[in-house]
Amino acid sequence: MKTAEIRRRFLDFFSTRGHEVVPSAPLLYNDPTLLFVNAGMVPFKPYFTGVEQAPFDRATSVQKCVRTLDIEEVGKTTRHGTFFQMNGNFSFGDYFKAEAISFAWQLVTGTQEAGFLGFDPDKVWVTVLESDDEAAALWRSIAGLGEERIQRRGLLDNYWHMGIPGPGGPCSEIYVDRGSAYGPDGGPVVDEDRFLEIWNLVFMQEELSTVRAKDDFDVLRDLPRKNIDTGMGLERTAYLLQGVDNLYEIDEVFPVIAKAAELSGKTYGANHDDDVRLRVVADHVRSGLMLISDGVSPGNEARGYVLRRLLRRVVRSMRLLGVQEPTFAELFPVSRDAMKASYPELEPGFARISDIAYSEEEAFLHTLTAGTQMFDLAVGQVRGGGSQTLSGAKAFQLHDTYGFPIDLTLEMAAEQGLAVDEAGFRTLMQEQRSRAKADAKAKKGSGVNTEVYTELRALGETPFLGFDTLGAGGTVRGIVVDGELVHSAQPGQEVELILDETPFYPESGGQSGDHGRIFSGDVDLDVYDVQRPVKGLIVHKAKVTSGELRTGLALDAEVDRDWRLGACQAHSATHVIHEALHQILGPTALQAGSFNRPGYMRLDFSWGHGVSDDQRAQIESLSNQAIRADFGVSASLMPLAEAKALGAMALFGEVYGDIVRVVDMGEGWSRELCAGTHVAQTSQVGLLALNAEASVGSGIRRIEAFVGHDAFTQLAKERSLVHGLAETLRVQPDQLADRVAKMVAQLKEAEREIASLKSANLMTLVDPIVSRGHEMWGVDYLSHRADGVGGNDLRTLALAVRDKVAAKPAVVAVVGGTSDKPSIVVVTTAGARDRRLKAGDLVRAGSEALGGRGGGKDDIAQGGGSDGTQAAAALTAVEHAIGHVLQSQ
């Protein structure tokens, strides 16, 4: 049975039993505690925690999920995958244990001919919490299971909670016996490879007050309304029904394995290590495809880093399989075709997806080239030192600085006949992880307790009135100071204020929060920011300037009109530029993030190439044409399906309800889903002046612009600058570019002449340096202080001196640079090297005297430090090092 068919049967089953079919939320879900959606219940969490009232009594979904905690295990086991799909059915105070168990048994064991999944009832086992006699009795009565196939387990295995105070309850897991070929008999408590879990039924019936560990918590009370949360692993169910051994061999994954095997000339199933690499490729390509589809772009932090790591592991695995050239253009289309039956949006969005993926592969292949050069240098240093082991520190540097995977380092070292200090590498990696965890914990600890907001949200949603008015009355519903709920606040205190309704716009969708005043009688507050920490709750960040603020007080809320107008101008300008990008660059130039405040806007967009000066000028021109066209700007509410049918653009990572707000400019010139505030006519934007355009990550560009009066001010500054330069250079403004270009050319020519003169002057020092040299045990030592001379010039001088004495055993040392950044170069002749004098060893001695370090090859080496006053001491240190070597012979 195809995976898409299992998915369809699951949703149809629960749909015909009164469940609302809820589409999968994007992987980038609006939850500050998660990088990605990692469980089927995540989109329903506000309903389970009581923050929001569920709009339905029962629901079902197939949720896209990503987990990367066990990324190193991918490909090695049957059960570890980064992207997976979780089938779920949910009840919010409606049915409970009996119905959940009955639904699960019917769907799992009902015949395929009747539309069910068709598992053999005699191969189904279940587990229940050891104290849950009710669930055990229901399995006996509903499914007819004997006691031997109902196994009881402790809290670690069969109790669910979120790890924080909130709802929890016992769970019951459904397992399928795969047969004796997969392990010993005795049920899941004996072997969870033979007895594979496919479904977990959570009976959410208790409220926890304290959670110390998975199996250590305090129960406050029974929940007033009991809930059901279940999760069936779609991939696990698929590989059982498709008769394959693991999730990598199902119909949605295996085609990529087959293509990777074809490209590499490998045979799947012939070699364990190759099989693991092929599975990694298939899993990570699918995960990358789905993450990019949902709006993630490769980067160096958080979600972007996870995606980058997955894509780089694909490149690494293909290289370990023997493929050096790019492969994403072969692999990603195969994954798209395997997944599009379940996710048809992949096909129309593939141009954007592939552009981002292919650009990342190209960039990493360049990184690997640079890393290979550093690896070769490291190998030379290891061999030069007489060792056969690449240090853990060097392997870690290759990984951390150059993105060089450790597996590739191990393979290449083996090819060179070298070992790698893996233990040292792992230690450094663990230290890095520990620092990252400590930093994350510190940052987390400095945040405000979200439980306060959850408690306030439970009192009701904060209606936003700001589309229709900038002023309204409201009653103080809550006051938060330093993360704690208080009943009053005094002048001078910073507070977070919650009203029962407000005209203040909270920062969201890229638009900054409003500024303004909240006041009444002798109470006055200056509002400098507005946020929405949890869905449905608007929080005003303000300073009490006079009077005592108290809970229950009636106040007037007044938004700063100039601030709101500026914010509207910037937000509308963002929509205008977004449409201009589509028209100039193409439909794949999609918004990937934005921020706008009065006078300024920036927009990040998916685009794998640089934007030319001509394209930039066209974008700015088209945007200002749209502003001057005085397009009407309207907003209307409509069903999501209707908005999409009208061509309204949805932004990646945003979660939309059934009813959405569509902002239309020019009756379809621009049409986007948007909850922000806008001008009434595009002409109110005034003026738009692009300020910058640059890359902010692989496949992501950022465009910035000044808006309205700020745009005029910026252009006026630029005009004044041009006028001043034109006067200084005594040319007309339209001749300024040519005049500056001519001056730059003249400057470069002058620099070349100066460099030539400096070089010639340096060469006059060669003979005096040679004449001052002295012999030490048959080796000439020639040294010189060249204050102010650095870089290549210092090396040139040292090499020129060596050329003069090349026929003799000789060492040349020169110190230059500045007082705070001195440099030292040491070179040796062949005769000196025959006497075991190595430039790399000698320069280290000199560099230490300068307060630094150095190194290099036997014939030439360079170092530096931080104390140029020790130049003479550095030359003496080199002399002593020479003497030490020669005396020992």
Side-chain angles (χ1 to χ4, degrees):
M1 189 182 298
K2 298 288 188 184
T3 305
E5 175 62 15
I6 300 170
R7 182 180 190 274
R8 185 192 65 78
R9 290 189 181 208
F10 185 92
L11 294 175
D12 286 351
F13 177 88
F14 285 102
S15 177
T16 57
R17 286 156 180 80
H19 291 67
E20 180 77 17
V21 177
V22 179
S24 173
L27 289 166
L28 288 85
Y29 194 65
N30 186 26
D31 186 327
T33 67
L34 298 173
L35 274 180
F36 306 109
V37 173
N38 61 0
M41 61 79 64
V42 168
F44 303 101
K45 191 163 72 171
Y47 309 146
F48 288 131
T49 57
V51 172
E52 295 180 39
Q53 179 67 39
F56 27 66
D57 293 331
R58 50 178 75 179
T60 185
S61 70
V62 177
Q63 176 60 49
K64 297 177 287 187
C65 304
V66 165
R67 292 180 189 169
T68 57
L69 290 176
D70 299 316
I71 191 171
E72 299 293 343
E73 298 304 313
V74 170
K76 300 176 183 177
T77 71
T78 61
R79 63 185 65 176
H80 286 98
T82 47
F83 172 83
F84 62 97
Q85 300 158 88
M86 190 61 71
N87 299 352
N89 60 287
F90 309 92
S91 167
F92 308 102
D94 187 14
Y95 61 82
F96 200 49
K97 289 184 184 180
E99 294 88 343
I101 289 172
S102 179
F103 287 148
W105 182 254
Q106 185 180 358
L107 179 57
V108 168
T109 62
T111 66
Q112 293 187 6
E113 293 74 17
F116 305 116
L117 298 182
F119 284 101
D120 183 350
D122 293 334
K123 294 184 178 180
V124 177
W125 293 59
V126 301
T127 61
V128 297
L129 185 65
E130 54 193 357
S131 60
D132 195 354
D133 295 332
E134 180 186 6
L138 287 168
W139 279 114
R140 287 193 297 270
S141 62
I142 292 171
L145 291 179
E147 192 65 39
E148 72 281 358
R149 282 197 282 145
I150 304 173
Q151 297 190 322
R152 296 176 183 252
R153 305 181 100 170
L155 294 170
L156 275 175
D157 294 297
N158 279 76
Y159 194 95
W160 178 91
H161 57 70
M162 294 189 297
I164 59 175
C171 57
S172 179
E173 296 170 323
I174 302 174
Y175 293 79
V176 174
D177 182 0
R178 304 169 72 193
S180 58
Y182 293 92
D185 201 356
V189 297
V190 174
D191 191 322
E192 289 200 4
D193 283 326
R194 170 174 172 172
F195 298 89
L196 190 72
E197 178 197 344
I198 61 168
W199 205 344
N200 188 13
L201 314 179
V202 177
F203 310 130
M204 218 177 284
Q205 61 190 50
E206 297 168 331
E207 182 178 346
L208 310 185
S209 58
T210 305
V211 177
R212 292 173 290 274
K214 179 75 165 65
D215 59 345
D216 184 12
F217 50 82
D218 297 329
V219 177
L220 178 64
R221 60 184 175 182
D222 289 339
L223 287 173
R225 299 180 73 216
K226 297 177 179 180
N227 305 313
I228 288 292
D229 160 26
T230 84
M232 170 189 269
L234 180 53
E235 282 77 10
R236 288 191 183 188
T237 305
Y239 78 75
L240 289 177
L241 290 176
Q242 292 175 17
V244 296
D245 285 339
N246 54 64
L247 63 87
Y248 311 105
E249 297 174 12
I250 66 173
D251 61 304
E252 289 190 344
V253 183
F254 188 75
V256 179
I257 289 181
K259 174 56 73 173
E262 175 191 328
L263 293 173
S264 62
K266 305 293 184 180
T267 300
Y268 182 68
N271 177 279
H272 173 73
D273 290 342
D274 287 345
D275 287 353
V276 170
R277 291 161 185 159
L278 289 167
R279 292 169 188 162
V280 168
V281 169
D283 175 87
H284 290 4
V285 164
R286 185 169 79 136
S287 300
L289 175 80
M290 301 306 295
L291 285 168
I292 298 172
S293 174
D294 273 3
V296 186
S297 293
N300 292 325
E301 295 182 358
R303 293 162 170 163
Y305 177 75
V306 171
L307 173 59
R308 171 162 286 167
R309 186 182 179 199
L310 292 173
L311 297 179
R312 289 185 169 190
R313 279 171 60 88
V314 174
V315 176
R316 176 202 72 185
S317 296
M318 290 303 295
R319 285 176 70 95
L320 294 176
L321 288 165
V323 183
Q324 305 296 318
E325 55 273 3
T327 60
F328 282 11
E330 299 278 355
L331 299 174
F332 269 77
V334 174
S335 187
R336 172 203 62 199
D337 293 343
M339 295 296 295
K340 67 183 182 183
S342 295
Y343 302 98
E345 66 271 17
L346 291 171
E347 195 147 40
F350 191 69
R352 182 188 62 85
I353 295 169
S354 59
D355 190 43
I356 292 173
Y358 301 169
S359 296
E360 180 66 16
E361 180 185 34
E362 181 182 1
F364 185 47
L365 287 172
H366 287 310
T367 294
L368 284 176
T369 299
T372 300
Q373 293 172 349
M374 295 306 300
F375 173 83
D376 291 342
L377 179 61
V379 168
Q381 292 172 344
V382 169
R383 286 183 170 154
S387 175
Q388 294 298 310
T389 301
L390 188 71
S391 70
K394 182 58 67 174
F396 179 76
Q397 181 189 19
L398 286 166
H399 165 82
D400 195 49
T401 304
Y402 299 98
F404 217 57
I406 183 61
D407 287 358
L408 201 54
T409 300
L410 291 169
E411 183 193 39
M412 293 175 65
E415 291 173 353
Q416 297 285 339
L418 299 177
V420 178
D421 177 12
E422 287 189 72
F425 171 82
R426 303 292 176 193
T427 298
L428 291 169
M429 283 294 294
Q430 186 57 47
E431 290 175 359
Q432 185 187 62
R433 291 190 186 104
S434 298
R435 288 192 298 270
K437 286 181 179 178
D439 184 55
K441 184 176 181 180
K443 290 178 180 177
K444 183 177 180 181
S446 66
V448 177
N449 185 356
T450 57
E451 291 179 28
V452 173
Y453 303 127
T454 301
E455 182 180 343
L456 289 166
R457 175 61 181 83
L459 300 176
E461 185 174 358
T462 312
F464 173 63
L465 311 176
F467 289 132
D468 302 314
T469 181
L470 295 181
T475 301
V476 178
R477 181 175 283 171
I479 305 168
V480 178
V481 176
D482 295 330
E484 300 293 333
L485 200 59
V486 299
H487 295 294
S488 63
Q490 306 302 319
Q493 282 191 284
E494 305 276 344
V495 302
E496 293 178 276
L497 175 66
I498 295 87
L499 301 175
D500 60 344
E501 57 183 14
T502 181
F504 279 82
Y505 183 81
E507 181 176 336
S508 58
Q511 180 177 335
S512 61
D514 280 333
H515 288 197
R517 288 177 64 215
I518 296 178
F519 59 95
S520 180
D522 62 345
V523 177
D524 206 325
L525 293 92
D526 176 25
V527 179
Y528 56 83
D529 191 16
V530 187
Q531 295 290 327
R532 185 184 285 129
V534 297
K535 186 177 179 181
L537 187 73
I538 297 177
V539 175
H540 309 78
K541 295 189 175 186
K543 183 175 183 177
V544 182
T545 56
S546 65
E548 181 185 21
L549 179 67
R550 300 185 306 278
T551 303
L553 193 65
L555 299 170
D556 290 322
E558 187 176 276
V559 177
D560 184 314
R561 290 181 178 275
D562 290 339
W563 180 275
R564 172 65 72 82
L565 174 59
C568 289
Q569 288 176 317
H571 198 163
S572 295
T574 303
H575 283 226
V576 168
I577 279 194
H578 195 197
E579 179 57 32
L581 288 170
H582 298 162
Q583 294 191 28
I584 302 302
L585 301 182
T588 60
L590 294 174
Q591 181 174 331
S594 67
F595 176 74
N596 46 77
R597 57 170 170 74
Y600 168 85
M601 61 131 292
R602 71 167 184 254
L603 186 145
D604 296 344
F605 60 99
S606 303
W607 194 248
H609 319 287
V611 177
S612 68
D613 290 342
D614 183 57
Q615 288 172 325
R616 177 172 161 169
Q618 290 181 58
I619 293 166
E620 184 178 58
S621 176
L622 181 58
S623 298
N624 280 299
Q625 287 174 34
I627 291 169
R628 289 196 300 275
D630 197 26
F631 290 142
V633 181
S634 62
S636 54
L637 298 175
M638 64 183 70
L640 179 60
E642 181 181 337
K644 289 184 175 180
L646 287 173
M649 192 175 305
L651 302 183
F652 291 110
E654 294 291 332
V655 179
Y656 299 101
D658 292 334
I659 302 299
V660 295
R661 185 169 180 265
V662 178
V663 173
D664 189 296
M665 294 181 173
E667 298 182 359
W669 183 84
S670 165
R671 187 174 284 148
E672 294 189 24
L673 303 186
C674 179
T677 63
H678 291 271
V679 296
Q681 301 285 141
T682 56
S683 61
Q684 291 178 281
V685 173
L687 182 65
L688 186 147
L690 292 193
N691 179 50
E693 190 281 325
S695 171
V696 290
S698 179
I700 298 295
R701 310 288 298 182
R702 171 171 293 173
I703 197 164
E704 298 178 79
F706 293 105
V707 180
H709 186 264
D710 287 61
F712 173 80
T713 301
Q714 177 65 19
L715 293 176
K717 287 180 180 178
E718 292 177 2
R719 182 181 63 185
S720 177
L721 176 63
V722 168
H723 179 71
L725 287 172
E727 279 198 342
T728 299
L729 299 177
R730 297 181 181 180
V731 296
Q732 293 299 313
D734 60 353
Q735 300 170 333
L736 188 59
D738 289 340
R739 182 72 178 96
V740 171
K742 184 177 180 181
M743 290 179 64
V744 169
Q746 290 171 339
L747 179 61
K748 287 182 177 179
E749 180 60 29
E751 288 174 343
R752 281 193 292 270
E753 291 179 4
I754 291 170
S756 177
L757 290 171
K758 282 179 63 179
S759 179
N761 185 55
L762 277 177
M763 293 305 101
T764 66
L765 300 175
V766 172
D767 288 338
I769 294 173
V770 171
S771 67
R772 291 198 306 271
H774 64 277
E775 184 192 353
M776 301 170 59
W777 292 280
V779 175
D780 286 353
Y781 178 50
L782 306 96
S783 63
H784 180 70
R785 281 185 61 175
D787 295 339
V789 178
N792 290 332
D793 289 337
L794 203 63
R795 291 167 65 93
T796 299
L797 176 61
L799 291 171
V801 174
R802 185 181 69 177
D803 289 344
K804 280 280 189 177
V805 294
K808 301 189 296 182
V811 175
V812 180
V814 290
V815 176
T818 60
S819 61
D820 61 340
K821 196 174 181 180
S823 299
I824 180 170
V825 174
V826 176
V827 296
T828 59
T829 65
R833 293 193 292 278
D834 289 341
R835 299 288 301 276
R836 292 187 295 181
L837 292 169
K838 299 177 180 179
D841 295 338
L842 299 175
V843 85
R844 274 190 283 274
S847 298
E848 288 174 3
L850 295 173
R853 59 184 181 179
K857 299 179 181 179
D858 293 350
D859 62 333
I860 182 168
Q862 187 165 343
S866 58
D867 187 1
T869 64
Q870 299 301 309
L875 296 174
T876 301
V878 173
E879 183 175 4
H880 289 166
I882 295 170
H884 179 74
V885 173
L886 296 178
Q887 282 179 320
S888 66
Q889 295 177 2

